[in-house]
């Protein structure tokens, strides 16, 4: 059923979705590009991408994934992320894909001459999802897409793609209100 596929798509992508807001919570300190700029005069990534944010985001996504795996195997086989210890691979790939997608988005923004925090419609909302899906396709093709693939799985993916900008917005407004984010986008 389509509704079930949508819920499953959400469930399996939660470790990726959690990575970015947790990078915001843990972020600060030394920037990943160590303050360096490219020859175009713009920063490689900018001060909004830090080692602490990256490490905190990956660790949080992994931890959430471990909790969901334990919970899932307890609740229903369909909610299982995989078998131990191999499942750890995909639990790392999910947040890493999301955060590297976010870094790639920042790299593109800087090349476009946009400063940290400046809006880049489309990129801001989708960079992490693109990173996640690309990483899954490259490194874990058998997981989710193929393992759980039924004709209806396409609904899950389509819904994820449609709902992501709204979800991104909601999470960022919350982050902004809590004082973690400098801009509500
Ligand atoms: N953050 C971080 N390290 C990361 C990702 C995010 O420290 N790898 C923190 C930064 O404090 C950043 C905040 O999370 O300012 C919000 O993230 P995001 O909106 O992705 O960054 P922006 O500040 O908007 O910068 P950019 O224009 O590069 O997207
Ligand atoms: Mg931003």
């Amino acid at each position: 059923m389509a509704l079930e596929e949508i819920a499953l798509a959400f469930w399996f992508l939660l470790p990726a979705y959690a990575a970015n807001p947790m990078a915001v919570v843990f972020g600060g300190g030394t920037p990943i590009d160590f303050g360096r700029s490219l020859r175009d005069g713009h920063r490689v990534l900018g001060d909004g991408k830090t080692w602490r944010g990256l490490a905190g985001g990956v660790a949080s996504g992994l931890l959430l994934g471990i909790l969901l795996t334990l919970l899932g195997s307890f609740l229903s086989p369909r909610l299982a992320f995989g078998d131990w210890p191999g499942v750890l691979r995909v639990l790392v790939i999910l947040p890493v894909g999301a955060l590297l997608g976010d870094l790639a988005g920042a790299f593109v923004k800087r090349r476009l001459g946009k400063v940290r925090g400046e809006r880049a419609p489309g990129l801001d909302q989708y960079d992490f999802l693109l990173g996640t899906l690309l990483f899954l396709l490259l490194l874990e093709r058998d997981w989710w897409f193929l393992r759980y693939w039924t004709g209806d799985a396409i609904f899950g993916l389509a819904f994820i793609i449609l709902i992501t900008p709204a979800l991104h917005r909601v999470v960022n407004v919350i982050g902004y209100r809590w004082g973690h984010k400098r801009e509500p986008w």
Side-chain angles (χ1 to χ4, degrees):
M1 204 181 85
L3 209 64
E4 198 183 326
E5 294 297 339
I6 288 168
L8 282 176
F10 254 124
W11 174 262
F12 288 121
L13 289 181
L14 271 174
Y17 273 98
N20 279 64
M22 291 321 268
V24 180
V25 170
F26 286 104
T30 311
I32 293 172
D33 66 8
F34 295 107
R36 276 194 279 262
S37 298
L38 292 188
R39 271 202 261 166
D40 59 9
H42 299 293
R43 289 285 295 277
V44 182
L45 299 170
D47 287 332
K49 306 296 141 181
T50 66
W51 290 105
R52 251 169 47 197
L54 184 63
V58 171
S60 305
L62 173 61
L63 192 69
L64 179 65
I66 291 172
L67 292 176
L68 294 179
T69 301
L70 295 173
L71 193 66
S73 56
F74 175 71
L75 291 174
S76 146
R78 275 211 96 188
L79 294 177
F81 278 70
D83 301 319
W84 302 98
V87 67
L88 286 170
R89 191 181 137 89
V90 77
L91 297 184
V92 169
I93 286 172
L94 285 168
V96 166
L99 288 169
L100 291 190
D102 179 54
L103 293 190
F107 182 83
V108 171
K109 280 172 80 172
R110 300 300 92 82
R111 305 289 72 74
L112 295 172
K114 291 183 187 289
V115 296
R116 171 194 184 176
E118 211 176 318
R119 276 177 193 224
L123 210 55
D124 281 332
Q125 292 80 8
Y126 281 115
D127 53 9
F128 79 96
L129 185 60
L130 265 172
T132 304
L133 296 179
L134 201 70
F135 259 60
L136 284 178
L137 271 175
L138 289 175
L139 301 171
E140 281 284 355
R141 226 168 317 161
D142 293 343
W143 185 81
W144 186 34
F145 296 108
L146 297 187
R147 200 149 93 98
Y148 296 100
W149 194 264
T150 66
D152 278 353
I154 196 76
F155 290 116
L157 197 57
F159 189 79
I160 284 287
I161 290 168
L162 286 175
I163 199 73
T164 289
L167 212 62
H168 182 266
R169 175 82 189 160
V170 168
V171 169
N172 282 322
V173 169
I174 294 172
Y176 178 71
R177 295 246 170 99
W178 278 352
H180 279 300
K181 266 197 66 106
R182 293 143 59 109
E183 305 88 12
W185 57 78

